[in-house]
Amino acid sequence: SANTPHWRPEVRFTPRRNWMNDPNGLVRHRGEYHLFFQHNPSGIEHANMSWGHAVSTDLVNWQHLPVALEPDELGEIFSGSAVVDEHDSSGLFGGGSGIVACYTSAGRTQTQSIAHSSDGGRTWTKYPGNPVIDNPGIADFRDPKVIRHEPAGKWVLLLAAGDRVLFYESTDLLNWTKASEFGAEHGAHGGVWECPDLFELPVDGDESRSRWVLVVSINPGGPAGGSATQYFVGDFDGTEFVNENDPDEVRWVDRGADFYACQSWFGVPPEDGRRLWVGWMSNWAYAQHVPTSPWRGAMTAPREVGLTESSSGTRLVQRPVRELESARGPARHWRGMVPEHATAPRFRGTALDIVAEFEIVDGRPEFGFEVLAGDEHRTLIGYDAESRRLFVDRTRSGSAEVAPEFPARHETPLSVDGSRVRLRILLDHCGVEVFAEDGAAVLTELVLADEGDDRGRVFCSGGRVFLESLRVHELRP
Ligand code: FRU
């Protein structure tokens, strides 16, 4: 099919060519962020699964590297993670240190395997004793995420097993013993569980009130249809995860259609202290029909994850990493009243970082931004003060045909502070990431606008808003 350079993002990572899905093996090592990813090196379909590879020092500019792991006699290389083995607990580094990757070998059955690198991830050796975790008779048994549990002085591996997460432990990354299970009676179960992650975070920056967050992707059964990511908040003692909320309660990381299989970086230095992650910006409901070329699949912008105390309990918040601000061009600024059926302010562009603060003045208006507009198409991003919902409407976003369910409006409840509404929008050619109220609500959506549809404006209906401030930056790394 014809090449589509107008859909190639500026700051979001895409492979040069061919298929990509989940982020894998996210690790920071010797000053580099590694991004491995589910990749077909020889086609634009999901096949020949391998780990593609890129590195960055700033999470904005990525250097493409050769494929790191390719299929072998145990199967294709499915999703997994990586850690830095600083003190050679594995004995794989002759007393030195290196990176240990743990992935699913997807062959006749799904098993977990190890590979190691002592040259900063450039070359890899598969462990001869693979698989390190054999299949216990479970069809869906994959996506190992390894973490270090310092208080217990051990490595912990969690993986997705259909309707639950299984936890294993090890002192050497090679010999694993099953420790516990979580989830059969918790959260959403409209589909198979995939790609778990687990980390501890302070609440509102207060280390003395930290909690553990267990993240699990699920496909299908997401709130916008198809795949999505849920999370649980609670405690983890190195052996068992305990959910502190009602088991029936479902919490979504992102209510948009296109945030899946996110994984956080291992090894971000303690003096930095951030929990950083990235997700696959697509949805299994239509991922294989996305008409970008010569690549298919994009990552979201890297995000910083936090916890905050709210009226509905301890909640996850996300915002784009601050490094992205280096990709901002000069801003245009506005401030002023936005009357009904507003036609200004107007701007143009398909790669923009928009920061806005609105004040509702009267009525219960629906307001926000129209972007990627041309004569026939447009995408709406806004807040409906009547239903108190944030939304992205891509029902008329372009003439590209992806799938019947693609043209849709997706929403999330958003409680705002008084009458103020704060929005941050990353528009990057092939879609939008919308963060409201400091990342308390997030909608990530692929949008495939027609080439040349680049008009933007503020809209408001059913009342009036005052635009306290609006900054529109061009994105150009
Ligand atoms: C999630 C997933 C994983 C699997 C990989 C295969 O998107 O289905 O469970 O390891 O993709 O590419």
Side-chain angles (χ1 to χ4, degrees):
S1 58
N3 283 357
T4 58
H6 57 289
W7 286 331
R8 175 82 80 175
E10 303 289 332
V11 298
R12 291 182 196 128
F13 179 81
T14 51
R16 279 217 188 90
R17 328 175 42 81
N18 295 327
W19 170 271
M20 178 179 81
N21 56 296
D22 315 352
N24 292 155
L26 301 187
V27 63
R28 193 181 143 107
H29 179 56
R30 299 186 189 149
E32 287 181 323
Y33 292 97
H34 290 264
L35 169 61
F36 299 90
F37 50 91
Q38 285 289 279
H39 186 46
N40 179 355
S42 54
I44 203 157
E45 311 297 333
H46 182 262
N48 311 313
M49 294 319 293
S50 305
W51 278 24
H53 190 196
V55 289
S56 173
T57 53
D58 61 5
L59 297 164
V60 178
N61 298 286
W62 293 95
Q63 181 192 350
H64 296 261
L65 292 174
V67 170
L69 298 170
E70 289 184 336
D72 56 35
E73 61 290 348
L74 291 175
E76 295 181 72
I77 315 294
F78 271 19
S79 286
S81 56
V83 295
V84 180
D85 187 10
E86 203 60 65
H87 306 293
D88 199 20
S89 65
S90 63
L92 294 166
F93 301 106
S97 69
I99 309 178
V100 174
C102 184
Y103 57 89
T104 297
S105 291
R108 205 176 38 78
T109 62
Q110 298 183 345
T111 59
Q112 319 315 320
S113 293
I114 293 279
H116 53 100
S117 170
S118 51
D119 62 356
R122 269 42 179 195
T123 60
W124 289 86
T125 306
K126 286 173 181 156
Y127 177 58
N130 283 338
V132 294
I133 301 181
D134 217 337
N135 189 292
I138 305 174
D140 296 301
F141 186 69
R142 59 178 178 268
D143 309 336
K145 170 70 185 180
V146 180
I147 66 167
R148 179 78 195 162
H149 193 272
E150 221 41 80
K154 65 189 179 192
W155 301 100
V156 172
L157 180 156
L158 49 156
L159 57 79
D163 65 348
R164 66 195 69 191
V165 172
L166 307 188
F167 293 83
Y168 295 78
E169 56 184 43
S170 173
T171 52
D172 63 4
L173 291 162
L174 303 173
N175 296 285
W176 294 96
T177 314
K178 192 177 157 197
S180 67
E181 298 190 359
F182 171 82
E185 267 119 45
H186 293 256
H189 284 280
V192 68
W193 283 21
E194 300 185 317
C195 300
D197 198 351
L198 177 67
F199 43 82
E200 191 177 11
L201 282 178
V203 178
D204 293 311
D206 180 353
E207 302 281 350
S208 70
R209 291 191 300 142
S210 70
R211 297 282 207 296
W212 285 82
V213 181
L214 175 64
V215 183
V216 186
S217 285
I218 173 171
N219 175 53
S227 29
T229 309
Q230 62 180 322
Y231 71 97
F232 303 92
V233 177
D235 193 23
F236 181 69
D237 61 2
T239 303
E240 216 176 335
F241 178 81
V242 178
N243 181 6
E244 69 180 28
N245 296 302
D246 176 352
D248 294 327
E249 192 185 326
V250 179
R251 293 159 168 244
W252 300 107
V253 167
D254 186 314
R255 294 273 201 132
D258 300 294
F259 186 79
Y260 198 61
C262 58
Q263 183 180 125
S264 68
W265 264 277
F266 181 94
V268 175
E271 61 273 20
D272 179 324
R274 291 178 297 171
R275 180 58 53 173
L276 305 173
W277 76 14
V278 71
W280 176 41
M281 192 163 167
S282 197
N283 187 316
W284 280 116
Y286 45 72
Q288 325 222 30
H289 305 289
V290 172
T292 53
S293 175
W295 80 97
R296 185 178 282 150
M299 296 301 172
T300 62
R303 300 175 183 175
E304 179 179 352
V305 192
L307 281 178
T308 191
E309 205 58 60
S310 79
S311 53
S312 56
T314 309
R315 296 266 161 189
L316 205 64
V317 290
Q318 299 176 79
R319 65 193 62 160
V321 293
R322 60 171 177 264
E323 284 86 341
L324 285 170
E325 289 163 29
S326 72
R328 285 175 170 172
R332 294 181 59 194
H333 294 257
W334 285 273
R335 181 185 154 87
M337 208 59 205
V338 182
E340 229 177 311
H341 312 300
T343 53
R346 288 178 180 279
F347 50 88
R348 298 187 93 113
T350 59
L352 302 171
D353 187 348
I354 301 172
V355 188
E357 190 170 324
F358 295 92
E359 174 89 38
I360 300 168
V361 177
D362 52 48
R364 291 213 181 84
E366 183 174 295
F367 61 92
F369 297 94
E370 179 183 276
V371 296
L372 301 171
D375 293 338
E376 289 172 54
H377 299 113
R378 84 287 181 274
T379 297
L380 299 176
I381 299 160
Y383 180 69
D384 179 351
E386 184 71 49
S387 65
R388 293 149 149 273
R389 284 170 169 264
L390 177 75
F391 66 88
V392 174
D393 184 337
R394 61 177 187 191
T395 51
R396 291 204 289 129
S397 61
S399 51
E401 284 179 20
V402 183
E405 63 270 49
F406 190 84
R409 173 173 159 134
H410 296 130
E411 307 182 331
T412 182
L414 173 66
S415 56
V416 300
D417 200 5
S419 50
R420 288 269 159 124
V421 179
R422 287 170 298 140
L423 297 179
R424 167 96 184 266
I425 301 169
L426 284 181
L427 168 64
D428 192 2
H429 299 303
C430 64
V432 295
E433 295 171 60
V434 184
F435 303 84
E437 301 300 298
D438 295 321
V442 187
L443 292 173
T444 302
E445 298 266 319
L446 279 178
V447 178
L448 298 167
D450 291 4
E451 193 167 5
D453 284 359
D454 68 348
R455 299 205 294 263
R457 68 176 181 99
V458 173
F459 74 88
C460 176
S461 62
R464 284 191 308 157
V465 292
F466 184 72
L467 192 51
E468 276 288 330
S469 73
L470 168 62
R471 280 184 290 140
V472 179
H473 296 267
E474 209 173 302
L475 275 180
R476 46 168 198 217

